[in-house]
Amino acid sequence: YFEGCPNVAEIEEFLKREGKQFSMVEQGSLPPGHSLKSCSSPTLMIDGHVIFGSKTDGAALGCTLEYFDAEKIRARLSTHLP
């Protein structure tokens, strides 16, 4: 995510409610050219696979345009986590 992202709190709270372990990476703390800088904010990934959000061309920080739908994300997580 990028600092100030208006949507990161919602997905963070969702993951906590679901009891999921996760790491948050603030894109501004990453070195130039890091692969996670080419993700929209927020992006939820499991083992490099995008569950929510998207990869971008990396030219600039951008918001995830997909609407956060808890049921849809829950279903996606269940196919990638035990």
Side-chain angles (χ1 to χ4, degrees), residues 11-22 68 70-71 73-75 77 81:
I11 199 160
E12 179 181 10
E13 302 233 346
F14 168 79
L15 291 169
K16 287 178 181 178
R17 280 193 313 272
E18 295 292 308
K20 304 298 183 193
Q21 292 184 357
F22 62 97
F68 180 81
E71 290 302 316
I73 302 306
R74 193 173 288 117
L77 288 171
L81 294 174

Side-chain angles (χ1 to χ4, degrees), residues 35 37-40 54-62:
S35 64
K37 284 193 166 202
S38 66
C39 294
S40 62
S54 63
K55 299 234 177 175
T56 68
D57 64 9
L61 299 177

Side-chain angles (χ1 to χ4, degrees), residues 7 27 47 51 59 61 72 78 81:
N7 301 312
Q27 291 170 313
D47 297 328
I51 303 298
L61 299 177
K72 185 186 290 186
S78 71
L81 294 174

Side-chain angles (χ1 to χ4, degrees), residues 39-40 43-55 66 76 80:
C39 294
S40 62
T43 292
L44 174 59
M45 301 174 85
I46 298 175
D47 297 328
H49 180 76
V50 175
I51 303 298
F52 175 78
S54 63
K55 299 234 177 175
E66 180 181 2
R76 290 177 187 173
H80 292 280

